Amino acid sequence: LATVSASNSTLEAQCHPECKWQCDDPSCPAVCHPVCERPKCEISCEETPCAKCTIHCERPICSVRCPKDMCEEEGCPKCETVCSPAKCHTKCVAPEPKCNPVCEETQCDWKCRKPTTCPKPKCELQCEKPECATTPKCCECSAAGNAAAAVVAAGTPSGDGSQMPLPSFLEVLNTIRHNKKNGDSMCCPCKE
């Protein structure tokens, strides 16, 4: 029994898995909006043709004037038609201008901030599986090498710091022979 308990203490000392936090990695797009400079624009017009003009005049006012002394002979003054000065004005129609605004290329930058609806990461504490066996490997104690390994394992200090008297090699062999004679099997560490 001392050999088995000593082997268990050795395995427990070597068997110490670690635990670590495992978290997911949620990702969310940032909330961004463009910030642009003030546009720089000017008006560009096509070359315009000449204006179309028309002259409008009032109806003339005319009268016939005859001399006071009339005669029927040749060389006598004749009657003549006299009109008032012409009254006219010019009316012009300017062509429709063809103009369009022309702007420089828009200069914008993105301004972003952290989102408010991004889920927090979920974490879970996970532990490693022990790399050692939970039960010591048993071999036949009839072999001298395995019996010697049982004596060495019995002499290894336990984890609780208790001190037990060490059996001699002959005591171990006598115990093995006694148990084998009674049909009881014993478990000894395997010599590597």
Side-chain angles (χ1 to χ4, degrees), residues 43-57:
I43 300 297
S44 176
C45 297
E46 298 180 5
E47 186 177 354
T48 56
C50 296
K52 294 181 180 180
C53 299
T54 55
I55 299 174
H56 297 273
C57 298

Side-chain angles (χ1 to χ4, degrees), residues 77-143:
K78 297 180 180 180
C79 296
E80 58 180 359
T81 301
V82 179
C83 297
S84 60
K87 294 182 178 181
C88 299
H89 64 276
T90 303
K91 186 176 182 181
C92 298
V93 178
E96 191 72 22
K98 296 181 179 180
C99 300
N100 292 298
V102 178
C103 301
E104 295 182 359
E105 186 177 355
T106 307
Q107 300 292 333
C108 295
D109 290 326
W110 288 99
K111 186 175 182 180
C112 301
R113 59 181 177 85
K114 297 179 180 179
T116 57
T117 58
C118 190
K120 295 182 179 180
K122 297 179 181 179
C123 298
E124 182 181 359
L125 187 62
Q126 295 183 355
C127 297
E128 300 174 348
K129 292 184 179 181
E131 296 182 359
C132 55
T134 55
T135 57
K137 188 176 181 182
C138 290
C139 289
E140 289 292 333
C141 294
S142 58

Side-chain angles (χ1 to χ4, degrees), residues 134-164:
T134 55
T135 57
K137 188 176 181 182
C138 290
C139 289
E140 289 292 333
C141 294
S142 58
N146 296 337
V151 175
V152 175
T156 304
S158 60
D160 57 2
S162 61
Q163 296 292 334
M164 296 179 63

